[in-house]
Amino acid sequence: LARAGHEVLLISIRGQAWEGWPADKITRVERDGVIVWSVSEHLCHERPEWIERQIASFRPDAIVGVNRDPAAIAVNFARDLPLWADVNGDPMAEAQVKAYSIGGDWNLNDWYRKFVPVLLRSDRFSTCSRAQKLALIGQLGMVGRLTAMNDGFDFVTPIPNSIDDDELADLGRIERRPRAPGSRFVLLWSGGYNTWTDPDVLFEAVERAMEVAKELSFVSTGGEIPGHHLESYARFEKCVSRSRHRRRFELAGWVQTAELPAYYAGAHAAILVDRFCYEGMLGARPGALDWPAAGVPIVTTRLSEISIELEDAKIALTAPCGDPGQL
């Protein structure tokens, strides 16, 4: 937007868990023509006058709330301004997989309470997939937003996740050498083991493949997601510790972003394993974007929109969810 000549003010919201940051600390930088304020989330709720002053001073033509929680916060400051809500992933489908992971439904109301005001107030929406667009249209209908007055108006624009041009160029420069026959074949997992990951199918598929392909090894960067979901990675670690092939598993944990190109250069394929859930059907898998940019072939479960597109483009081999044999 800034490169197109628009003035952009970005208020970036820090979560409460940022260690070492005083709760009231506010920082300001200007980068590439964009003014960026960094504030703690509690200021949005307990001292809203600070944000109201920034909006009054900047005098914007529109407000954009990027992602579920920031969009829910933006609703409180939009007043009569046009509001665009970028809802990256279906909130209630994400709430469902989170509920499954914690063994109860007590989180559902919190996600619902934040999402409904966004549905009721926003003038335009964007989603992470075309599938999620259809889900969001249904949600708009259920809250009474589809009326005679707006018949024929398209509320929702799907904007699939992407990587920026600079990163694309950097990944494209990674030197990948042909693998010599009989040498080590590295299968890479890169990213968090989220609530929609299927650690049992992932382990079982790799374990079976190692029986057949003696040169196969598995390398994992990433792991548990602190403050959100720990169980899938812990379960996978436990399976690996009991494996008769455990020496062929390398669990590197979270690594620095600058280290990832070396892992991509050393990988011969990457793997992504979802369990069947509505979040997988509607959501995105942004981690899968780096791999084709770096020239790494993909093995994945066939569920998310991007997995189907990668299969159609012959970039990925796919298997049904829940089937380690086919995977």
Side-chain angles (χ1 to χ4, degrees):
L1 286 170
R3 283 197 297 266
H6 301 288
E7 296 177 65
V8 182
L9 171 66
L10 173 62
I11 298 178
S12 178
I13 302 171
R14 298 191 306 273
Q16 304 290 40
W18 279 47
E19 295 182 7
W21 282 75
D24 287 353
K25 183 173 182 178
I26 298 172
T27 63
R28 181 189 187 280
V29 297
E30 186 164 344
R31 190 166 64 237
D32 299 329
V34 178
I35 299 169
V36 183
W37 288 100
S38 177
V39 304
S40 293
E41 184 178 348
H42 90 98
L43 291 179
C44 304
H45 308 293
E46 297 166 24
R47 287 176 41 195
E49 66 278 0
W50 183 89
I51 292 181
E52 289 171 346
R53 285 200 301 271
Q54 306 314 310
I55 293 173
S57 174
F58 190 65
R59 299 175 63 191
D61 296 301
I63 290 182
V64 181
V66 181
N67 228 320
R68 173 184 64 103
D69 285 359
I73 291 170
V75 165
N76 300 320
F77 297 100
R79 300 189 185 277
D80 59 349
L81 287 168
L83 174 62
W84 184 303
D86 179 60
V87 188
N88 195 325
D90 187 272
M92 299 317 299
E94 289 189 28
Q96 182 185 31
V97 291
K98 177 66 174 178
Y100 174 80
S101 74
I102 61 179
D105 295 331
W106 54 85
N107 68 307
L108 297 179
N109 185 60
D110 180 55
W111 290 58
Y112 179 84
R113 177 179 56 83
K114 290 180 178 179
F115 187 37
V116 168
V118 176
L119 290 171
L120 291 172
R121 169 60 183 83
S122 302
D123 301 289
R124 288 291 302 273
F125 300 84
S126 44
T127 60
C128 69
S129 67
R130 290 180 291 275
Q132 190 202 347
K133 170 178 178 169
L134 300 179
L136 199 143
I137 292 169
Q139 291 157 349
L140 290 173
M142 290 302 296
V143 298
R145 290 293 305 276
L146 304 185
T147 65
M149 183 174 294
N150 58 45
D151 179 51
F153 175 73
D154 193 359
F155 280 98
V156 190
T157 301
I159 305 178
N161 289 185
S162 64
I163 56 177
D164 65 41
D165 293 342
D166 292 339
E167 186 181 7
L168 185 63
D170 290 341
L171 291 171
R173 284 192 287 267
I174 293 175
E175 183 180 354
R176 297 181 47 75
R177 297 175 182 173
R179 173 177 164 267
S183 64
R184 184 180 183 226
F185 186 101
V186 177
L187 181 63
L188 176 70
W189 174 285
S190 182
Y193 289 66
N194 215 319
T195 49
W196 43 80
T197 301
D198 195 328
D200 296 324
V201 168
L202 170 63
F203 173 76
E204 181 67 23
V206 174
E207 180 90 338
R208 290 194 201 181
M210 285 179 172
E211 291 288 339
V212 178
K214 303 304 181 185
E215 67 274 22
L216 177 65
S217 63
F218 177 87
V219 175
S220 170
T221 68
E224 61 187 19
I225 305 172
H228 173 58
H229 183 63
L230 312 178
E231 291 79 5
S232 289
Y233 186 63
R235 188 175 181 89
F236 185 72
E237 273 190 312
K238 189 173 182 179
C239 291
V240 170
S241 70
R242 297 173 174 175
S243 170
R244 57 188 173 276
H245 302 302
R246 57 185 172 275
R247 295 184 183 279
R248 292 159 66 184
F249 287 86
E250 178 188 337
L251 305 184
W254 290 102
V255 301
Q256 297 294 322
T257 301
E259 297 177 66
L260 286 174
Y263 281 96
Y264 298 155
H268 302 102
I271 189 167
L272 177 68
V273 181
D274 285 337
R275 61 183 180 84
F276 176 81
C277 58
Y278 285 144
E279 189 288 328
M281 293 177 66
L282 303 175
R285 293 295 177 266
L289 297 174
D290 277 7
W291 302 332
V296 182
I298 299 171
V299 178
T300 179
T301 43
R302 183 171 56 251
L303 180 66
S304 63
E305 191 169 88
I306 189 173
S307 70
I308 296 168
E309 291 179 340
L310 289 170
E311 180 186 36
D312 289 345
K314 298 183 175 15
I315 294 171
L317 298 175
T318 70
C321 295
D323 191 330
Q326 289 202 49
L327 190 63

